């Protein structure tokens, strides 16, 4: 019966198909509370006497009825007696969607995400915010972003609650504040008002100076956003404070230690929220380098979220292929990249050594990829589930980011999102779930599109040029003019797979209400990926003849026109121009080459 079990999503931890017929179509369904089950757990028994559901709580009953619907719809199981016993590995199974890298979703898109999360038994949603909420007294920051409003958040909160999902306010409070610090009104709040250097490039200021006044400023933002939802849990971010200890706080960091300076700011923001009864999530990357911070954290209510977005084997391959110049730059920036090859076990070491509980946050592998990095995502998602389960993590949050203008449309996030939902529910029974089949069954209601997304997502591995936190396809579009060298036979195979995906999309007819939108958005992502492959196959812009550059320039202009159209199918107009501007360096380079 493996084929039928595979049709249930997520796959239950225990399903027995009994050697007797199932209930009659009009047989009763009896429901009772079973306090001996784990939280969110349920039992489902269907036999000739009828259907009996045992559940620990409301969530367990919801998931039992969901399984019952799937069993009734399955032609192999509907007429058979079955016994299911099921509960999740992680109490909180969340999804975090970046809405601050230009792409702010429409209400229709948000509704679709909620429907998918509910079908995948995820019970928390976070919208990562930097500047894309309409804060009452800060209109200059969000004026061009088509931000979510308080009404949007209240609408979404009610929608989530109706589906058994907690909507958590998520506002960064230390790093990644560049959209604020770019304005004169806020620039003096910066750790380094004149900017800083990272990766050999000058960057605009992005980190708040860790002062009591800035903590009050950040706390006020969190409170205003949190007031629009009912959850008593928030995420205050506080990740990647690149300039911390290198600008205005340099003397303080030299005297007391960078970890202590960070901890002081974190607690200035978090403590008032904890005192008000909130649980407070924050990103735990700084703790990896400063284990003394982990030991000094409050024991209750503060939740470190350990993030890592490359699977250990993928990270190892990327590190082994790094050039001496890349290694020198990492060292100059103060980065020790080797721990990435240790995956979540290494990233969480400061917390496990201190005996502190934590959550895990793997990624969909969608960002910096054009069409996804599915192989890496699967490894990363499993690694998070293994290490999180081993250490009793209370939460598992699948993240998707939007680096370089969030070019990737929602469907590119779906394979990793659905697979992460499955392995966070029960790793043992869902490790071998086929993302393509699950997508077609759970999301698209029809065959074809899932396979196309999975095939396109495999191309990052096919080209055999592993990068950290990204794909060589995205690097070709948004990186240097000289594309990385990739073997011609690998690029030929990538083009073959992408062409097959494009053909499959042309024939896909998903019955889901937004199926036509998903097909068009995916087709555009595949077209962009094929353009990147063509650029790589040519050896980069400097290797092009003027005529070839002109042809690619014409092709790129058509792709940008379609990118604009596809964007507006699922995202608000604010941010579109900023995202499209990410193509400008490539277009300019092609134009210069074509004119030679």
């Amino acid at each position: 019966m493996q084929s039928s079990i595979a049709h249930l999503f997520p796959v239950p931890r225990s399903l027995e198909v009994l050697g007797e017929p199932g209930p009659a179509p009009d047989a009763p369904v009896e429901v009772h509370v079973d306090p001996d089950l784990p939280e969110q757990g349920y039992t489902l028994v269907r036999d000739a006497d009828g259907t009996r559901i045992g559940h620990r709580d409301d969530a367990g009953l919801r998931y039992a009825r969901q399984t019952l619907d799937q069993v009734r719809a399955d032609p192999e199981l509907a007429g058979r007696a079955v016994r299911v016993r099921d509960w999740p590995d992680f109490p909180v199974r969340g999804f975090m969607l970046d809405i601050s890298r230009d792409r702010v979703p429409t209400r229709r898109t948000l509704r679709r995400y909620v429907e998918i999360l509910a079908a995948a038994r995820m019970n928390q949603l976070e919208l990562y915010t930097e500047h894309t909420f309409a804060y009452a007294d800060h209109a200059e920051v969000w004026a061009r972003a088509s931000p979510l409003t308080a009404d949007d958040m209240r609408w979404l909160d009610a929608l989530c609650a109706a589906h058994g999902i907690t909507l958590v306010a998520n506002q960064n409070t230390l790093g990644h504040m560049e959209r604020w610090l770019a304005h004169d009104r806020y620039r003096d709040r910066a750790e380094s008002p004149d900017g800083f250097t990272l990766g050999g490039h000058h960057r605009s200021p992005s980190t708040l100076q860790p002062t009591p006044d800035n903590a009050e400023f950040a706390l006020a933002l969190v409170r205003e956003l949190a007031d629009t939802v009912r959850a008593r849990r928030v995420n205050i971010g506080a990740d990647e404070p690149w300039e911390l200890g290198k600008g205005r706080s340099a003397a303080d960091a030299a005297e007391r230690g960078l970890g202590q300076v960070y901890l002081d700011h974190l607690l200035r923001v978090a403590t008032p929220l904890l005192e008000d009864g909130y649980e407070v999530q924050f990103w735990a990357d700084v703790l990896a380098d400063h284990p003394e911070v982990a030991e000094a954290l409050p024991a209750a209510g503060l939740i470190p979220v350990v993030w890592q977005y490359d699977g250990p084997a993928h990270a190892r391959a990327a590190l082994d292929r790094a050039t001496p110049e890349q290694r020198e730059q990492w060292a100059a920036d103060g980065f020790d990249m080797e721990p990435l090859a240790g995956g979540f076990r290494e990233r969480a070491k400061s917390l496990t050594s201190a005996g502190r509980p934590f959550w895990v946050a793997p990624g969909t592998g969608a960002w910096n990829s054009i069409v996804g990095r599915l192989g890496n995502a699967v490894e990363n998602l499993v690694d998070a589930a293994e290490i999180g389960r081993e250490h009793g993590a209370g939460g598992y949050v699948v993240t998707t980011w939007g680096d370089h203008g969030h070019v990737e449309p929602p469907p590119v996030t779906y394979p990793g999102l659905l697979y992460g939902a499955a392995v966070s529910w029960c790793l043992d029974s869902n490790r071998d779930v086929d993302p393509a089949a699950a997508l077609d069954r759970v999301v698209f209601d029809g065959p074809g599109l899932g396979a196309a997304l999975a095939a396109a997502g495999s191309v990052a591995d096919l080209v055999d040029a592993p990068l950290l936190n990204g794909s060589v396809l995205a690097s070709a579009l948004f990186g240097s003019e000289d594309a990385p060298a990739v073997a011609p036979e690998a690029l030929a195979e990538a083009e073959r797979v992408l062409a097959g995906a494009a053909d499959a999309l042309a024939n896909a007819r998903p019955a889901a209400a937004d199926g036509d939108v998903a097909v068009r958005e995916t087709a555009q992502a595949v077209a962009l990926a094929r353009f990147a492959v063509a650029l790589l196959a040519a050896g980069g812009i400097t290797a092009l003849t003027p005529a070839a550059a002109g042809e690619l320039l014409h092709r790129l202009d058509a792709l940008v026109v379609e990118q604009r159209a596809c964007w507006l199918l699922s995202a608000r107009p604010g941010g579109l121009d900023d995202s499209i501007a990410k193509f400008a360096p490539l277009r300019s380079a092609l134009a210069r080459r074509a004119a030679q």
Side-chain angles (χ1 to χ4, degrees), residues 255-310:
E255 179 181 351
R256 299 192 302 127
L258 183 62
Q260 187 61 50
V261 171
Y262 173 83
L263 178 61
D264 286 352
H265 180 84
L266 181 75
L267 294 182
R268 286 187 191 115
V269 178
T271 300
L273 294 165
L274 295 170
E275 292 173 347
D276 287 347
Y278 282 94
E279 291 183 304
V280 180
Q281 301 168 221
F282 72 99
W283 302 119
D285 49 300
V286 175
L287 274 60
D289 296 324
H290 298 278
E292 73 279 6
V293 175
E295 296 174 358
L297 292 173
L302 196 58
I303 304 171
V305 184
V306 178
W307 58 266
Q308 163 74 359
Y309 304 135
D310 289 302

Side-chain angles (χ1 to χ4, degrees), residues 172-258:
N172 221 327
T173 57
L174 182 58
H176 291 292
M177 296 293 284
E178 54 265 30
R179 298 279 192 155
W180 294 80
L181 301 176
H183 297 273
D184 290 341
R185 178 182 168 191
Y186 308 95
R187 184 175 299 276
D188 195 50
R189 294 186 180 276
E191 167 76 359
S192 300
D194 294 328
F196 66 108
T197 299
L198 185 70
H201 300 285
H202 182 79
R203 296 193 179 193
S204 300
S206 69
T207 299
L208 294 175
Q209 183 185 1
T211 64
D213 181 63
N214 276 341
E216 285 294 326
F217 166 72
L219 176 61
L221 299 181
V222 175
R223 287 194 187 281
E224 184 175 345
L225 182 59
D227 282 347
T228 65
V229 300
R230 66 197 73 186
R232 303 301 291 177
R233 183 184 298 141
V234 296
N235 188 332
I236 63 171
D239 64 314
E240 296 185 331
W242 305 119
E243 305 104 295
L244 190 66
K246 299 176 182 178
R248 289 170 163 175
S249 68
D252 191 21
E255 179 181 351
R256 299 192 302 127
L258 183 62

Side-chain angles (χ1 to χ4, degrees), residues 414-505:
Y414 294 166
L417 170 56
L418 220 60
Y419 186 82
V423 297
S424 65
W425 176 262
C426 180
L427 175 62
D428 291 340
S429 58
N430 287 279
R431 188 187 296 264
D432 296 326
V433 160
D434 177 4
L439 284 167
D440 286 339
R441 186 175 179 86
V442 177
V443 178
F444 299 124
D445 193 18
L449 187 48
L453 280 164
S458 73
V459 169
D461 285 336
L462 285 178
V463 296
D464 193 29
L467 298 176
L468 295 171
N469 201 37
S471 162
V472 71
L473 301 183
S475 178
L477 296 183
F478 306 118
S480 64
E481 294 187 12
D482 293 317
V486 182
E489 58 272 18
L491 291 169
E493 178 65 8
E495 166 57 22
R496 186 191 68 78
V497 170
L498 289 169
D503 290 342
L505 288 167

Side-chain angles (χ1 to χ4, degrees), residues 132-152:
T132 50
F133 175 72
Y135 288 105
D137 297 327
H138 306 286
E140 65 265 50
V141 176
W142 49 259
R144 297 177 58 248
S146 297
L148 295 185
T149 66
D151 284 344
D152 287 329

